[in-house]
């Protein structure tokens, strides 16, 4: 069965960075696009970033362009999102998500991790 497990969250001061990883299992990671999605307190889900099967293509939401870097290691079945210069508005529950259809971009999101909480405050 498919499993996605995020970690690496916690509290961080403004201007610092966090790099939460996601461990994937139960599927062939190299076949699927993978995504990061977040939910801030009291708000809805927001797509953050994406990476293709081989890691050669990446996409970012306007809110994090130039401030974040998504990466994957298919040999280790892991996904990471490095977030630099964090601000209070970046406080959210961060999820790693699997694309449902092989080699498709944002066609459908069918598997989610439990999320890891990143809290940005002084």
């Amino acid at each position: 069965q498919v499993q996605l497990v995020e970690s690496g969250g916690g509290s961080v001061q403004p201007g610092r960075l966090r790099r939460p990883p996601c461990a994937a299992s139960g599927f062939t990671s190299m076949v699927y696009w993978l995504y990061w999605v977040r939910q801030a307190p009291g708000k809805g889900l927001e797509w953050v970033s994406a990476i293709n099967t081989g890691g050669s293509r990446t996409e970012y939401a306007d809110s994090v362009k130039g401030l974040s870097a998504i990466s994957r290691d298919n040999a280790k079945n892991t996904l990471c999102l490095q977030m630099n210069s964090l601000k209070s508005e970046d406080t959210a529950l961060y999820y790693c998500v699997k694309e449902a259809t092989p080699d498709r971009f944002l066609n459908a999101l069918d598997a989610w991790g439990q999320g890891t909480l990143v809290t940005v405050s002084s």
Side-chain angles (χ1 to χ4, degrees):
Q1 56 184 347
V2 175
Q3 288 189 335
L4 298 167
V5 182
E6 305 93 337
S7 60
S11 62
V12 58
Q13 295 182 347
R16 309 298 288 183
L17 66 85
R18 296 295 284 194
R19 191 171 184 268
C22 172
S25 63
F27 66 99
T28 304
S29 298
M30 70 179 73
V31 177
Y32 302 89
W33 280 76
L34 298 174
Y35 315 110
W36 281 99
V37 178
R38 69 183 180 186
Q39 184 172 30
K43 297 186 178 181
L45 295 170
E46 177 190 17
W47 175 81
V48 175
S49 188
I51 188 166
N52 76 331
T53 57
S56 61
R57 291 183 58 195
T58 58
E59 301 289 342
Y60 299 93
D62 289 341
S63 61
V64 301
K65 285 183 178 178
L67 301 175
S68 298
I70 188 171
S71 62
R72 67 190 293 170
D73 186 333
N74 289 326
K76 297 181 179 180
N77 293 321
T78 57
L79 173 73
C80 288
L81 178 69
Q82 180 167 307
M83 299 180 287
N84 304 306
S85 301
L86 287 166
K87 301 176 181 178
S88 60
E89 51 263 43
D90 292 314
T91 295
L93 190 63
Y94 286 78
Y95 299 92
C96 60
V97 187
K98 170 186 170 291
E99 167 61 46
T101 305
D103 205 30
R104 298 292 187 180
F105 175 54
L106 293 181
N107 182 255
L109 311 178
D110 71 341
W112 297 63
Q114 85 287 351
T116 188
L117 181 63
V118 175
T119 302
V120 185
S121 66
S122 300

